[in-house]
Amino acid sequence: LLAGLLSLVLAQNLAKPLQILTKAARRMAAGQLEQRVIVTGSDEFGFLGQAFNEMAANLGQLEQLRRKAAADISHELRTPLTTIRGYVEGMRDGIIPVTEDNWQVVEGDVQRLAQLVSDLQDLAQAEAPLWDKQPVILERSIEHAVETVQRMIVESEIEIIQEPSSEPIVIKGQEEKLERVWINLLANAAKYSPQGSAITVKVMGDVDTVTIRV
């Protein structure tokens, strides 16, 4: 009888924290990401509760980032769409003259929309695991990006100069996606550089770290 009573008490003590975690997990599955459990002790249940709280905090941060990203994307898409709509309606109604300059404004915003969609596709692909990492010669990858952006900004008279490295640096990754990163970086640098200026790119590395300076 005594052994039975002790077993019952021990079973209840073991089941209680599991019941609390189960209820919190069910509420989180229902969308209540603010769920936390009280962590007591340093046994396995304490570690499990701590891991649950860390997971809940990470999920909450990801949800905030998702909402912010959705708001930012909505804002970025709304601006060119509003401009295109205004110009098209204005030219249709005769308020805005149908000139080459006005068509260039519309075409520029169409290209901006296309770039935003491309960026969204890159973001979706970036979230996928990179299983097929291959050796990439960093200087050559950046050189391709420099040539691409230089053709894009030829009218701005901005020159992109790639400073030579002391020795070749090889990293593991996906060269196509890495080049996309360098292109975005250099295009942003060109966007905010005065006409006729120069942009320098240099790769520096040691045993553990590689730095790309623009």
Side-chain angles (χ1 to χ4, degrees):
L1 180 60
L2 181 59
L5 290 174
L6 289 174
S7 299
L8 181 61
V9 171
L10 288 174
Q12 289 179 344
N13 289 335
L14 290 173
K16 186 175 181 180
L18 290 177
Q19 291 173 352
I20 294 174
L21 277 171
T22 301
K23 291 180 180 178
R26 287 176 177 172
R27 287 193 293 265
M28 183 176 294
Q32 302 178 25
L33 300 182
E34 70 282 356
Q35 297 300 312
R36 301 293 186 274
V37 295
I38 299 176
V39 178
T40 57
S42 57
D43 54 8
E44 286 78 5
F45 291 113
F47 289 129
L48 181 61
Q50 184 178 357
F52 178 88
N53 289 340
E54 292 175 356
M55 179 190 68
N58 290 333
L59 288 175
Q61 291 177 355
L62 288 174
E63 178 63 16
Q64 290 179 357
L65 289 174
R66 185 191 67 80
R67 292 179 180 178
K68 184 178 185 302
D72 291 342
I73 292 170
S74 176
H75 175 73
E76 289 293 333
L77 292 175
R78 186 182 298 112
T79 301
L81 283 173
T82 302
T83 302
I84 294 170
R85 180 179 180 182
Y87 269 81
V88 171
E89 291 180 351
M91 287 188 286
R92 181 194 62 192
D93 298 336
I95 301 174
I96 298 177
V98 181
T99 63
E100 182 66 23
D101 290 340
N102 289 334
W103 277 120
Q104 286 181 357
V105 172
V106 174
E107 183 181 3
D109 279 317
V110 170
Q111 292 177 351
R112 183 181 174 189
L113 282 174
Q115 183 62 51
L116 286 170
V117 173
S118 176
D119 290 343
L120 288 174
Q121 291 175 340
D122 291 341
L123 180 61
Q125 292 176 359
E127 292 177 348
L130 300 177
W131 298 116
D132 53 342
K133 292 182 179 180
Q134 300 294 331
V136 177
I137 301 175
L138 199 52
E139 289 86 349
R140 188 177 65 186
S141 174
I142 293 177
E143 183 180 353
H144 293 165
V146 169
E147 294 173 353
T148 300
V149 177
Q150 190 70 77
R151 290 192 296 267
M152 294 166 52
I153 62 172
V154 63
E155 296 181 357
S156 65
E157 299 179 356
I158 296 175
E159 183 181 8
I160 304 178
I161 303 170
Q162 183 175 355
E163 297 182 359
S165 303
S166 57
E167 59 182 14
I169 298 176
V170 180
I171 62 175
K172 285 189 175 182
Q174 289 187 331
E175 187 166 8
E176 181 181 351
K177 293 182 179 180
L178 287 170
E179 285 185 17
R180 183 62 182 168
V181 174
W182 318 143
I183 289 172
N184 286 338
L185 188 62
L186 293 171
N188 282 335
K191 181 179 179 181
Y192 295 103
S193 297
Q195 187 171 4
S197 60
I199 299 171
T200 59
V201 187
K202 185 174 179 61
V203 178
M204 299 169 290
D206 53 33
V207 177
D208 300 318
T209 305
V210 175
T211 302
I212 299 159
R213 186 182 67 193
V214 178

